[in-house]
Amino acid sequence: MLGPVQLRNRIIKAATFEGRTPDALVTDDLIEFHRRVAAGGAALTTVAYCAVAPEGRTDRHQIWMRTDAVPGLQRLTDAVHAEGGAVSAQLGHAGPVANAASNRAPALAPSRQLSPISLRVTHAASETDIRRIITAHAEAARLAVRAGFDAVELHFGHNYLISAFLSPALNKRSDSYGGTLANRARLARQTAQAVRDEVGDEIAVLAKFNMDDGVRGGFGIEESRTVARWLAEDGNLDALELTVGSSLRNPMYLFRGDVPLREFAAQFPQPQRWGIRFAGRKFLRTYPYRDAYLLDEASRFRAELDLPLILLGGIASRAAIDTAMAHGFDFVAMARALLYDPDLINRMRADEVSVSPCTHCNRCMPTIYQGTRCVLTTPAADPAHTA
């Protein structure tokens, strides 16, 4: 069980922005993407990313939760349920990770700073903004219930807005949302409370939560363990999916393996392309891949929390799944392995394969701009993917 939801197994398709919503609404292509994951045997597939406000998108092509989005989302959830799977909506506000130029709206952050994404200065969120965004999470969760979702995943990671508030490197506030750890954690706790108050036990409520930003002076594992205990004690979450890294400053801390710098650079016009080619290694750092590479950090949380936990990172083999279960994790989440082969779980169950053929080349990452895919199995993007 995941809260009130009975899942058919312990495998979750982790949230990966699909790049299939050119008009910020569900498309047939997005539905097929998640239907295939459900048909392939995963218990729960996660729709990413569903922003709670229009300025909270990483770019304007992403879904934001509004009444107009509900009919398409209902078609998506119906398609997943028809395959025997469950489906979660990842809800969040991108904060300083939002591209203000693309969204045509200022990006919000805990404090003013120059965004490396839009090359514009972010706006420090006012208390009015904070109250609006907390309410927006609750309203988005209600829309998710209307659309037939089984769960919502609150985005508390990767230096999106709530994660940015947790980070002492990004949060320089002196009010009740800055300074002490308790103050920096206030937005996360209030958001979880507001969502739980709105949906009760109608659906599962989980959070994607950073264990470590991987950034000097950022939110690290000692502080994150404390905040995780507070979230567990508050009783508003059915599970935590443990993650790491900063989409703003160190994304490869999560995506271990090869760094496709040339492919990333090709997605941008000049002069940004040359800048990425020559200076990108400072942003896209190299971390070696190994199976279950977040297990050691996550096990420290497992030892302290009664809350169900989801292990992410390097779950690409039956052995990694078994290791996670042996260490007391309730679920595992995988992404790249299911991009390579959406039928992987059924094939593992049938003993056709025990290890995903995914090479962790990470060349799937730059494809988010035209439709996220494995370039080894789907080398050319369908024109419908292009945003």
Side-chain angles (χ1 to χ4, degrees), residues 242 298-309 327-330:
L242 299 170
S299 292
R300 299 176 68 178
F301 290 75
R302 179 69 291 164
E304 298 180 9
L305 301 176
D306 292 330
L307 187 69
L309 296 181
H327 281 77
F329 291 91
D330 302 87

Side-chain angles (χ1 to χ4, degrees), residues 65-124:
M65 296 296 278
R66 61 207 191 277
T67 302
D68 288 351
V70 171
L73 291 169
Q74 180 71 69
R75 290 196 300 122
L76 190 156
T77 61
D78 286 346
V80 171
H81 292 153
E83 298 291 351
V87 56
S88 176
Q90 185 187 64
L91 305 179
H93 191 292
V97 180
N99 187 330
S102 176
N103 288 336
R104 300 162 188 160
L108 296 177
S111 309
R112 282 173 55 88
Q113 60 184 280
L114 179 64
S115 168
I117 294 171
S118 66
L119 299 180
R120 298 184 180 185
V121 175
T122 61
H123 287 207

Side-chain angles (χ1 to χ4, degrees), residues 252 255-259 289-291 293 314-316 336-337 355-363 376:
M252 296 305 298
F255 297 101
R256 311 290 167 94
D258 297 340
V259 178
Y289 177 90
R290 61 182 174 85
D291 276 1
Y293 52 77
I315 308 299
R336 286 170 290 183
V355 180
S356 167
C358 173
T359 64
H360 324 295
C361 68
N362 291 320
R363 289 163 60 199
L376 303 180

